[in-house]
Amino acid sequence: MARRLVIAGTGSGVGKTTITIGIMAALQKRGLAVQGFKCGPDYIDPTYHTAVTGRASRNLDSWMVGRDAVKEIFQRGSLGADISLIEGVMGMFDGKDPLTDEGSTADIGRILDSPVVLVVNIASMARSVAAIVKGFQQFGQGDRIVGVIANRAGSEGHYKMVKQAIEQECGIPVFGYLPKDVGMELPERHLGLVPSIGRGELQPFFDHLAEKMTAHLNLDLLLAAAEAKQIESQPSLFKAETATTAKRVKIAIAKDAAFHFYYPENIELLEASGAECLYFSPLAGEEVPPEADGLYIGGGFPEEFAARLGADEPVKLSVRNRIQEGIPTLAECGGYMYLTDRIVDTTGNAYPMVGIVPGTVTMQKKLAALGYREVTGTEGNFLLPAGQQARGHEFHYSTLQLDEQAEVQPAFWSKGRLGTKAEGIVQSNVVAGYTHLHFASNPDIVQAWIQACVDYQLRMKHMER
């Protein structure tokens, strides 16, 4: 047997993240090793999970990577953990489209044969909460719901009324509640918050949550409800992985508060295929490692640090020079922005960036793009050749205006719910765009990148002779 729980919600904003990290923190204090997962493509919530548990949280997305890969990612991530907590996305049945459960929290619960706990905001309701819970029980895979956690209770008496109604009408336990308490609300997840997590500034908040969870939740009952059968699956993504995988190339990965959005599996697939990953921090003034054969600049918040990034000419020069000499490079979202000529913030201040992508990024005060993307490679794309497909998502507050005189080739044809568009740019050795790719959606990306790095390595050695 194993222990796992999906923490689902009736909708966005009901408190799934607060409750999930609170349970994680409370179980940590009991001495349990807790593994976090997040349904969907989100990078922010896994950052909280990782900060609380000390273990890298992982995304489970049945649309991006498929059902078998979800099982494999879950199995690998759960190794050594006493319990796995899977935070849902949006409402329990919200996913890729309104007609199916694909990509939803319910879908992940079904794939992993996992018990589900439903979080309900009970503010301004009493018996009516039971009607909501019963509706979720009777819809789709709602029969997996093993209990409820009530959020934003006005008082203990209010909670007891709701608990009685749910347990009588729905036949499942209510594990506990969180009071309506301003000090319990997760700080707004604005773009500048994640760096503060890395600095440990939210630890007092996590400790406070753990105390509240211990006081108001029946953790023993919750742990008992988490008992489930072991997941059965055959390794596919990492079937060639061995402890002695020969490291054939070195890939430099930008990682700091400005660039830190990477799916763990992307890195692990590179390592399993023969790459040694070298981390460097542009924010700390670190240049691209000279021994690198490839360059990966992921997403993040370069706009939050645009002044620092723009002022560091040696780092920008190292990136520019290595790209111009041919190092195979992937730049996603924040990394794409960093490679442009400049970033203009919402007040109109402009900061010079690397200057590889001929254009200007302008920050917006509201989301410019959000959603799943299925991308098809274009001619000259060394990672995803013309006609090949991969999946990922976009999430950004900026727009890019390419220079009118520039002749650039798009990296992808990107299909989303609003149609298909040209996305990103491709040069001989650079693939850059707003789309965050999940390599598990097409592992051939990894092999193509490794081979490009090998070829680059050989060219550079030949030039040294």
Side-chain angles (χ1 to χ4, degrees), residues 2-164:
R3 288 190 289 199
R4 60 183 176 273
L5 282 175
V6 171
I7 310 296
T10 55
S12 295
V14 299
K16 293 187 301 292
T17 304
T18 299
I19 285 171
T20 300
I21 64 177
I23 294 172
M24 288 174 170
L27 295 180
Q28 282 273 108
K29 289 187 179 296
R30 283 194 170 197
L32 297 179
V34 183
Q35 174 62 45
F37 295 91
K38 173 68 180 181
C39 298
D42 175 69
Y43 288 109
I44 304 289
D45 292 342
T47 305
Y48 286 104
H49 301 173
T50 301
V52 173
T53 67
R55 295 171 61 105
S57 181
R58 297 164 184 271
N59 296 78
L60 301 173
D61 193 303
S62 55
W63 182 81
M64 280 206 302
V65 305
R67 303 169 72 82
D68 290 340
V70 164
K71 288 184 180 181
E72 185 174 354
I73 289 168
F74 179 82
Q75 278 189 310
R76 294 182 82 251
S78 294
L79 289 174
D82 297 311
I83 184 170
S84 296
L85 294 178
I86 306 157
E87 181 186 345
V89 58
M90 300 169 63
M92 181 173 170
F93 300 102
D94 300 320
K96 175 70 167 57
D97 63 62
L99 301 179
T100 73
D101 288 345
E102 186 180 18
S104 70
T105 304
D107 199 25
I108 297 300
R110 182 185 308 122
I111 292 167
L112 298 179
D113 192 18
S114 177
V116 176
V117 174
L118 187 67
V119 177
V120 185
N121 176 4
I122 67 170
S124 305
M125 286 188 289
R127 181 172 167 77
S128 295
V129 177
I132 294 172
V133 174
K134 181 164 281 191
F136 273 76
Q137 284 180 305
Q138 294 177 352
F139 187 87
Q141 293 291 311
D143 58 350
R144 292 186 178 277
I145 299 172
V146 296
V148 172
I149 295 175
N151 196 21
R152 302 186 184 119
S155 65
E156 186 174 0
H158 176 209
Y159 162 67
K160 287 181 177 178
M161 287 192 295
V162 170
K163 176 179 170 68
Q164 288 174 337

